[in-house]
Amino acid sequence: MGNIFWLAAYPKSGNTWLRAFIANLIANPTEPLAFDAWLQYATDEADPELFTKVAGRPSATLDIETLCALRTDVHAQIAARARGTVFVKTHNLTGNYAGYPLQNWTVTSGAIYVVRNPLDVAISIAAHFGISIDESIDRLGSQDVATANDDLFVGQILGSWSQHVAGWVDLESKNILVLRYEDMREKPMKAFGRVARLLGLDRDRGRIERAIRFSEFSQLQRMERAGGFREASGRGVAFFRVGASNQWRERLSRDQVERIISDHRALMQRFRYLPAGY
């Protein structure tokens, strides 16, 4: 078994927040870790430098099929250069694209997957990518969606929200921890405590509470306002925008809610996201 431990989620679902918690938990600092310090504890699979090094030319010049062909080698290099377990953030769905695996399972030891109510994801996606909510709903329901490939991030294969969630949570491996975003907000000690147990760092309750406090959403917002955050979209919208649950109750029309439920009913029911009356 390998040493990559994936921190996976559909975009705007909480794996950046998870990465902040893990970094603060492992480092056990006396004040919140700066954004750049996270890189010592969790890398990003979409880092262009990783693919540029393997390809021998800038990753932004590569098409999506070529990027996917390089992925297993990129993952192998991440694993080889790490000392022990390495946490790697990814938005890729599981499976293959154009015949190429999106994860190198020979160097993988497990994953933490964060799932968030698609009714709220639709709102966050719209704000982050500068599109309408109706366009966002279309994206969540389409199996032909990938992120842009540019100088900041390598393109990743998303698929639909349901396709993404089902692929990760139904993996046969027993070493997959699934967290609900809503539980991370409403029951942080219970949710993040599960992560701490997985990491073998659950004996010191104060340490866990401190890592939760140092990575809470309001703290990340203050840090972004003070110095920016490289993963922001560049469209004048903060990356750590609101982070609240149940925004959809005030932002979505009944027709929009019904469209999302029509596309994702089975998994919404499985994760207790179906509103009463639908």
Side-chain angles (χ1 to χ4, degrees), residues 5-271:
F5 213 95
W6 298 106
L7 307 180
Y10 193 87
K12 306 308 294 180
S13 295
N15 63 349
T16 298
W17 181 16
L18 175 64
R19 185 166 47 141
F21 169 76
I22 288 176
N24 279 282
L25 181 68
I26 295 174
N28 197 25
T30 56
E31 59 183 31
L33 285 182
F35 292 143
D36 288 347
W38 297 0
L39 300 176
Q40 300 177 46
Y41 304 96
T43 191
D44 192 333
E45 193 261 0
D47 183 349
E49 291 185 11
L50 300 172
F51 288 80
T52 294
K53 183 177 180 180
V54 173
R57 57 193 175 105
S59 63
T61 66
L62 306 175
D63 60 33
I64 195 70
E65 184 171 330
T66 303
L67 290 172
C68 290
L70 296 173
R71 273 200 160 86
T72 54
D73 287 340
V74 169
H75 298 167
Q77 290 202 8
I78 292 173
R81 75 184 187 190
R83 296 179 179 178
T85 299
V86 56
F87 296 96
V88 183
K89 175 188 172 184
T90 184
H91 288 311
N92 277 311
L93 54 75
T94 59
N96 301 300
Y97 181 83
Y100 300 108
L102 296 174
Q103 292 81 30
N104 184 338
W105 295 108
T106 64
V107 295
T108 294
S109 59
I112 304 173
Y113 186 81
V114 184
V115 58
R116 185 184 186 188
N117 190 337
L119 297 170
D120 285 326
V121 173
I123 297 168
S124 291
I125 288 285
H128 183 74
F129 290 105
I131 59 178
S132 71
I133 289 178
D134 284 326
E135 290 173 308
S136 179
I137 292 170
D138 288 340
R139 285 174 65 99
L140 263 67
S142 173
Q143 295 192 4
D144 299 317
V145 177
T147 60
N149 182 47
D150 53 33
D151 292 332
L152 292 177
F153 297 104
V154 166
Q156 297 185 85
I157 308 298
L158 305 183
S160 72
W161 181 86
S162 285
Q163 183 183 12
H164 200 285
V165 173
W168 279 100
V169 303
D170 289 338
L171 284 174
E172 293 183 0
S173 169
K174 295 182 180 179
N175 208 23
I176 306 294
L177 173 62
V178 179
L179 298 175
R180 291 194 340 143
Y181 179 96
E182 295 74 20
D183 294 336
M184 292 163 65
R185 284 193 58 84
E186 297 163 17
K187 305 171 185 176
M189 191 63 197
K190 182 176 181 179
F192 287 113
R194 295 175 66 196
V195 177
R197 283 194 296 276
L198 187 68
L199 273 58
L201 295 172
D202 58 326
R203 294 184 178 181
D204 184 344
R205 183 181 178 90
R207 179 174 182 171
I208 300 171
E209 291 175 338
R210 187 163 50 250
I212 291 172
R213 188 170 68 252
F214 286 172
S215 58
E216 65 185 10
F217 208 85
S218 59
Q219 174 62 42
L220 300 178
Q221 286 177 316
R222 286 193 292 270
M223 291 168 62
E224 182 178 11
R225 285 195 296 268
F229 184 58
R230 70 179 297 270
E231 296 181 27
S233 65
R235 295 180 174 87
V237 178
F239 185 90
F240 301 104
R241 189 182 59 88
V242 177
S245 300
N246 294 318
Q247 299 174 60
W248 66 270
R249 296 186 184 278
E250 296 180 356
R251 296 288 308 279
L252 299 184
S253 68
R254 185 174 184 89
D255 177 69
Q256 289 170 329
V257 172
E258 289 176 345
R259 284 174 57 202
I260 294 172
I261 292 173
S262 176
D263 288 338
H264 310 291
R265 177 177 289 275
L267 280 164
M268 289 181 70
Q269 186 168 31
R270 177 174 174 179
F271 285 98

